Amino acid sequence: MKLIFELGTDGQGTDLLPECDVPKADPGPFARSSAVRLPQVSEVELSRHYAALARRAHGVSDGFYPLGSCTMKYSPKINEELASMREFTGIHPLQPEDSVQGCLEVLARCETMLCEITGMDSMSFQPAAGAHGEFTGLLLIRAYHKSRGDEQRRKIIVPDSAHGTNPASAAMAGYEVVNLPSGPDGCVDLDALKQAADEKTAGLMLTNPNTVGLFDRNILDITKIIHDAGGLCYYDGANMNAIMGIARPGDMGFDIVHLNLHKTFSTPHGGGGPGSGPVGCKASLSRFLPGFLPNPCGSRYSLKRPPNSIGDVKAFYGNFLVVLKAYAYLLELGKEGIPEAARNAVLNANYMMSLLKGHFQAAYDRPCMHEFVITLEQEKKTSGISAADIAKALLDHGIHPPTMYFPLIVQEALMIEPTETEPRETLEEAAKVMNQILDEAQKEPSTIHLQPLHTPVRRLDEVAAARRPIVCYEYPQE
Amino acid sequence: MKLIFELGTDGQGTDLLPECDVPKADPGPFARSSAVRLPQVSEVELSRHYAALARRAHGVSDGFYPLGSCTMKYSPKINEELASMREFTGIHPLQPEDSVQGCLEVLARCETMLCEITGMDSMSFQPAAGAHGEFTGLLLIRAYHKSRGDEQRRKIIVPDSAHGTNPASAAMAGYEVVNLPSGPDGCVDLDALKQAADEKTAGLMLTNPNTVGLFDRNILDITKIIHDAGGLCYYDGANMNAIMGIARPGDMGFDIVHLNLHKTFSTPHGGGGPGSGPVGCKASLSRFLPGFLPNPCGSRYSLKRPPNSIGDVKAFYGNFLVVLKAYAYLLELGKEGIPEAARNAVLNANYMMSLLKGHFQAAYDRPCMHEFVITLEQEKKTSGISAADIAKALLDHGIHPPTMYFPLIVQEALMIEPTETEPRETLEEAAKVMNQILDEAQKEPSTIHLQPLHTPVRRLDEVAAARRPIVCYEYPQE
Amino acid sequence: MGSYVPNTKKEQEEMLRAAGFSSFDRLYDDIPADVRLNRELKLPSGLSEMEVRSSLEETGKKNHVFPHIFRGAGAYRHYIPAFVKSTVSKEAFVTAYTPYQAEISQGLLQSIFEYQTMICSLTGMDVSNASVYDGAAAAAEAVAMCRERKRDTVYVSAAVQPQALSVIRTYCAGNGIKLVLVQEKDGRTDLEALDALPEEAFACFYVQQPNFYGCLEDCSAIARIVHNKGGKLILGCNPISLGILKSPGDYGADIAVGEGQPLGMPLSFGGPYLGFMAARKELMRRLPGRIVGQTADIDGKRGFVLTLQAREQHIRREKASSNICSNQALCAMTAAAYLAVMGARGLARAAESCMAKAHYLQEQLENAGCRRVHQGPYFHEFVTVCPPGLSSPQILKALEKQDFLGGLPLDDSRILWCATEMNTKTEIDQLVQIIKEVAEA
Amino acid sequence: MGSYVPNTKKEQEEMLRAAGFSSFDRLYDDIPADVRLNRELKLPSGLSEMEVRSSLEETGKKNHVFPHIFRGAGAYRHYIPAFVKSTVSKEAFVTAYTPYQAEISQGLLQSIFEYQTMICSLTGMDVSNASVYDGAAAAAEAVAMCRERKRDTVYVSAAVQPQALSVIRTYCAGNGIKLVLVQEKDGRTDLEALDALPEEAFACFYVQQPNFYGCLEDCSAIARIVHNKGGKLILGCNPISLGILKSPGDYGADIAVGEGQPLGMPLSFGGPYLGFMAARKELMRRLPGRIVGQTADIDGKRGFVLTLQAREQHIRREKASSNICSNQALCAMTAAAYLAVMGARGLARAAESCMAKAHYLQEQLENAGCRRVHQGPYFHEFVTVCPPGLSSPQILKALEKQDFLGGLPLDDSRILWCATEMNTKTEIDQLVQIIKEVAEA
């Protein structure tokens, strides 16, 4: 289809603003010499353009989306409606406190509820995404050690199964990353951890359930080893959906947690954002939190910066409307719904895993939490069928593929996370399709490399894209 | 795809309402013996179901829609936004007058503006659609003659080129229909009209431009003949888009007009409704109008029923939110935009006609108004290519076909109405596609009968549908 | 300012020449000079989008949205699920025309087929059309359906909603049907009066369940009487009430009609609403309006089309029984989406809540001295008479001052109240408290 | 009540057995007993959708939406075209993840490619990323981009928005970059102070145009000085202002960043907003965040993919220069839809109106005794000092009483005002009148 720049002509477009009712001000030498080059397209053509783009996009509403580690659960429509209320969208972030009590109530109550779920004592909503939360968490670790004059702690221990953002965040926070190899079960190797943890250790970053979808039974030992070495334990909340209401990072010995509200707490992803990655911590670390937090003060709230705050990681109070949607979700589920969602996420994952058994090889053959990893390693060797082949073939069936090639510790990995909002029938249909794809590919391996056949475009040349990057439309010369 | 009844299972679904906070009331013998059979489907599956339905629908936002006589112009987004304001959607129709002054203002101002455009003196918004407006208009004619004791007028003259609703509406209003054959130019045959008009004539129903897209130059003679015979002239406003701001039915001698706000005044069609078909009339007929009209009364409005009102044709005041959208449209276009829109509708139609020349046969080879009719009569005879063939072939190109087989006075008719909101490029592309389809079909006539090939379903068996009607899903026996 | 004409002046000129015209005026050569409007329209100049928005915001402020509503009488405030709003605002649904081209309109056609099926389930009927303008028009169309050569008199209960009666009257006046009212007794159709009607020329009887006063009619008895006379029973029904109450089908009605607004449509000062119409199988070909039917394509795949068009005016012209050629498609989709997301469980809860809250309200009003006028069971509406010394306007004004829209005043002393699931107990208690205070003042 | 778990208890039991578990508890066998939460969560019970809506409506009422806003300082109220809202609320856009699977994500990828192109046009840069969290984070990421082994000191003008400065400070503290403030003089960067900085270790200079006080900086001179020292110039800019003002590219800046909120996003108590980031071609591979590139599929058809991923953390892990792996995709689409529907003409009109209204406001305030603090040209913000005897809180309180949100108080006597195209002349006159009345009282 055409790019927006290939539509319309000079002079087209709509006039949306009135003429100015006061005298013009002259920008003088600051004036730009020629107009910005922007689309000149009528509203009807624009509306068709975006309608066509929407038809070429695939959301949760278009089908099953078992993208591992991304928790593509259904986002209730009511939350979108609430987040578009002008009582929230029309509020300037720098209004007087008395006029924003509703916003502060949302932040404060959401904080309380998420602290209860994570076992933390306070929380800042300023981070806008998971990686942003990680960075924030690491700055808290830094501030903590610094406050104790314990500045030789320059190392963060990160398992090799971790999300790629973990080491990157640690590096951004100025830390040296100690890579911790996983044991054969994908879990932390306690001996290796004991060896790694020492007086240089600032902390450990871990998610539990881990990135292969297993709960590390030794979690209390792990956090104890770190604490004994004087470090802090950071919980990557990307995998919280399996355990909310069942177990709490705080009770596992973690000191800091970030959550992905756009995963576990159902706020939609918007094609990559906006998300929200609040960071919670134990009371001993609260004074370092970034931003301004709503403090109850009689019957109202006032905004206060924590006394030893690390500062700000974003302007204002985070992605407020995203927090609002998560708050609404928490109200909807409540104390019964939260663990019920977790249980069903785990049930759906195990059920789906059982349906794939006999066709696909599970990377770890034991019950999983909210997601599981299958490996095409054998297939790749014997018949050349890769994880990507299976993924691309699924596209023709209206199913979003699982996460491919992650975690790195599993070869030819496909990571499947059905989430609790999928009905049984969807799981059964998807498993049937996957099994069929594999069967057919095994019979005739050559065909699968050509798939997908029915998508708006077929397999794209990513190498060429990176080698000679075209990242901006070039208007034809006139 | 599945029907909604084929999704979900017993017990699924979401609970949206709270439990009742007061004691239950017992319906006793009035209680139904078993629950209503309705879908039991989770919200995620429902959302996918309707998303899939939307992908199988085609609106103006999905492409060119030159459906003749339907005026599928672009509906500005702002109007939808305004019509969803709770200050309008939250108003009960039977609230005290003081609390609905905003609604009355919309009705009153919209009436004034549309009266100016049509040359009428007052207007009722009660009719919900064009056909509803016709029926209302005919009741006005009836009431008028009755009020004069002139009850022998039992006939309504309707040209054979008229919309099918015209004779049906006349019949519904208790009139006998006199069919008036058109002249060779698709216009009214004056001699035939003179013959038909007599002391039994209650009135004439006409649209001008007529249904072949031509403006009847003899319009003043026509209305005079009817008036001289003691009848009234009714204007079918379906084709108003060509002449708004250019010429007015009131100035042509018409006494009553209905408008399709969902055509000329841009309110979207919603897949068939809701529309709005207000009826305007000259002052001498105002006292017969249906419903309650807003009367200015100092700085406020009050609702008054006209003294000799025909009653009501619908509850309350018509499709208010539709009227609101049309009102917003009138404010947007204003006195400059209204005739500009009309002129461009006519220009686009003539331009498109010129692009098809040489390939397609125009039914009337002269400049047209907002639409024009082509005929496949010759093609059908020589190569078997019908109007329907061309229409169905267009479906594979993302273009909505023109109106087929209307008006009845043209054989193998395709009626094309581009509207003013289409850019030149769209007209050129569509004309190219149509010309190509015809060229290819002429070379290889057999292939076109199989088209479309790429739509969600292919040509459907309409005969079977009508012969053994299945109009309701039958649940499988359990 | 805004005109939504995309082509620039330059393009227009080029197109004009290409189409063979020397100027814009030439386009209108067919319009005689003495018919042209040779002046500007007397309208304001066009406004920008931003100005239109602020203008209508100003207009909107002249309305008052009552947070507490206890008025029904044909338009009801119910909870509208977020799913419903987000679904029916999809651009492809909103901007499509009537699905004449079935191959690219399966989404709309299937949604209507699903609507028809749900209306049949709800009403206990065999066949539903794709909807008509509103409940009152549905009643009028149903009456017209029942007219036969020798049966040209229709009877209507005096206890039906006045708007419905008015529309029926207008339609009947149009096509020469005789309309006779059957009196009411204690807020219900007087069965003796009904029974006493002549068999001859008896086309049909129209009654509502619940009726205008909220009372539940003895529809089984009514059906017996009407059928004994060879007439048809048209039952107007509140769709929410059917979540717990017997359906028209249960009573043996021939045609079921009603106002579909409670199924997910906002109050909107009276429209757009939805008229639903369903009937027994034998009446299928007399049903007016669009109907969608199932069929198959040339590959044998299931598909849907507009069907039974032989009934319709574009084929039959003046021989058609109705001129209706549109439906309230988007409203029908709203109703279907509402029924789907509520489900049987949700609809029953809505109905139960309506009934329970109305009964609680009525008890509390009774305590405040507003006694119910009628005897016998009711659903979610009922009529009270004001306590001695107080008038309807006094009570309603006092309520309005506290932001309560009270019931509809039927006259100086009688008020028609309504409660729905939207009214909380607290709110009801407040309302009654306000009335008590007025009574004491 | 609501849980959005579709499967019924019965289905769950069946699935459980089929997957080989004897009970729900067995699913969690891997979680040691002493780690489990063996109690209910201390949360309220789940609410129905209807209750959640009314609960949040109540919460919303505790906010006050000012109809008249004259405050900016990093968050601006502009007209949001209806087209923008209806476009970005499309379900497929809202509910998609990052477009990893390009074949079914062309809609999102193309929209981002279009966004990148428009940001390049706007800023006069060669390459834009797919957006970052907000303008402040964009500034901080840009600063990190410029750090080189021997150039590890970054300079920031004291006249930048405090939030941006604060975030830069936090990021710098994290990765050990030295940050030095360059003082301001009469509301602008002190060019002499800038010129006097040492060349050594000079990584970059960050300044805003217009700056926090609304003043327009002499960016040409700044670029000269910075480049002479071998440093990079990062220009933070207000995207609306670029409709009429020179772009970062015109000034020779190396990186352009800014807060994209004015491009169609509501105020929303501070988020979600949009950080845009664009740079000269040479810096492309140092740009953090997602970037979409054009390529072709195996049939040669144009298509788009996430590209240059070698920079990113999931490949480079701890060697990545940034950890950012999401963007504000829906906000980027909002900005693109806004720029597309406004067009160059509309954007220029918005910018002209902002500037004109601010200047009119400033003149009127001057008349009311609120003199501007700084000299020299400004865009749509400026600082005044209160007349003798009046304090910022007094003025702002008086305005709030009349439903006006006045400028941001910088201290007891200085106020930072802002006007946009949303402020009418009438409104400005009213505001000034209120102040005059306070002054007289």
Side-chain angles (χ1 to χ4, degrees), chain B residues 69 125-138 163-166 168-170 172 205 234-239 256-263 269 272-279 313 319, chain C residues 97 133 313 323-328:
Chain B
S69 192
F125 289 102
Q126 211 176 45
H132 210 200
E134 293 171 23
F135 174 58
T136 305
L138 289 156
H163 297 118
T165 47
N166 286 184
S169 301
M172 252 181 93
M205 297 180 84
Y234 178 90
Y235 183 89
D236 178 333
N239 295 351
I256 304 169
V257 172
H258 92 255
L259 295 172
N260 295 301
L261 299 189
H262 48 290
K263 293 178 179 174
H269 292 63
S276 175
V279 167
V313 294
N319 283 340
Chain C
Y97 201 76
Y133 308 131
Q313 78 300 323
N323 72 343
I324 198 164
C325 66
S326 59
N327 67 338
Q328 301 279 100

Side-chain angles (χ1 to χ4, degrees), chain D residues 193-270:
Chain D
L194 182 66
D195 206 19
L197 294 174
E199 261 184 50
E200 208 202 328
F202 193 114
C204 61
F205 178 58
Y206 173 65
V207 62
Q208 289 173 346
Q209 178 78 322
N211 68 25
F212 181 61
Y213 307 115
C215 296
L216 293 172
E217 300 265 5
D218 184 353
C219 292
S220 302
I222 290 172
R224 227 169 14 245
I225 297 171
V226 169
H227 287 152
N228 276 341
K229 294 185 191 296
K232 297 199 174 64
L233 174 60
I234 306 169
L235 202 55
C237 44
N238 177 311
I240 298 286
S241 77
L242 297 177
I244 53 169
L245 301 187
K246 278 192 177 132
S247 74
D250 291 334
Y251 291 123
D254 300 282
I255 304 173
V257 297
E259 175 51 66
Q261 175 270 330
L263 304 174
M265 280 145 265
L267 291 168
S268 307
F269 198 53

Side-chain angles (χ1 to χ4, degrees), chain A residues 107-361:
Chain A
L107 292 175
R109 292 201 181 160
C110 196
E111 181 188 353
T112 305
M113 292 167 96
L114 292 174
C115 281
E116 165 67 7
I117 289 170
T118 53
M120 296 291 127
D121 296 310
S122 31
M123 191 170 276
S124 165
F125 289 102
Q126 212 177 45
H132 209 200
E134 293 172 23
F135 175 58
T136 306
L138 288 156
L139 293 182
L140 294 183
I141 293 177
R142 228 176 117 132
Y144 168 79
H145 293 305
K146 197 174 165 194
S147 76
R148 297 159 45 96
D150 193 1
E151 303 215 30
Q152 94 282 22
R153 297 187 177 269
R154 309 295 316 151
K155 291 183 179 174
I156 292 285
I157 300 173
V158 181
D160 59 358
S161 64
H163 298 116
T165 47
N166 286 184
S169 301
M172 254 181 93
Y175 281 113
E176 204 176 301
V177 174
V178 180
N179 234 308
L180 193 70
S182 303
D185 56 353
C187 293
V188 171
D189 179 331
L190 283 187
D191 290 331
L193 180 66
K194 274 179 204 152
Q195 286 230 292
D198 59 20
E199 73 290 345
K200 295 263 173 75
T201 301
L204 165 77
M205 297 181 83
L206 194 72
T207 184
N208 192 25
N210 61 22
T211 55
V212 299
L214 303 178
F215 193 93
D216 200 319
R217 304 183 60 97
N218 302 320
I219 189 64
L220 290 178
D221 298 321
I222 294 168
T223 53
K224 185 163 186 305
I225 291 169
I226 297 297
H227 286 155
D228 286 350
L232 294 177
C233 296
Y234 177 90
Y235 182 88
D236 178 333
N239 294 351
M240 190 71 200
N241 204 43
I243 58 160
M244 54 179 187
I246 309 290
R248 314 193 304 169
D251 299 337
M252 299 176 204
F254 286 97
D255 306 290
I256 303 170
V257 171
H258 92 256
L259 295 172
N260 294 301
L261 299 189
H262 48 290
K263 293 178 180 175
T264 314
F265 298 97
S266 97
T267 71
H269 292 63
S276 177
V279 168
C281 62
K282 290 286 175 82
S284 55
L285 299 167
S286 300
R287 62 196 163 104
F288 302 117
L289 283 172
F292 290 79
L293 306 188
N295 274 25
C297 175
S299 63
R300 58 190 290 287
Y301 295 95
S302 67
L303 282 165
K304 285 225 166 50
R305 191 185 277 285
N308 304 100
S309 174
I310 57 164
D312 292 288
V313 295
K314 187 181 182 303
F316 310 122
Y317 327 106
N319 283 340
F320 174 74
L321 294 182
V322 179
V323 179
L324 176 69
K325 291 179 204 179
Y327 173 62
Y329 181 74
L330 289 167
L331 290 180
E332 285 145 21
L333 267 60
K335 62 182 170 190
E336 309 87 358
I338 293 283
E340 193 198 341
R343 269 192 300 270
N344 278 280
V346 174
L347 173 62
N348 274 358
N350 279 288
Y351 185 65
M352 176 114 188
M353 184 161 68
S354 76
L355 296 174
L356 294 176
K357 252 187 197 161
H359 286 79
F360 288 90
Q361 174 74 43

Side-chain angles (χ1 to χ4, degrees), chain B residues 77 94 312 336 366 424, chain C residues 14 30 45 71 91 166:
Chain B
K77 301 292 173 207
L94 299 174
D312 292 289
E336 310 87 359
R366 48 182 272 208
R424 169 191 190 162
Chain C
E14 289 167 9
D30 270 354
S45 274
R71 192 167 291 188
E91 208 174 16
S166 176

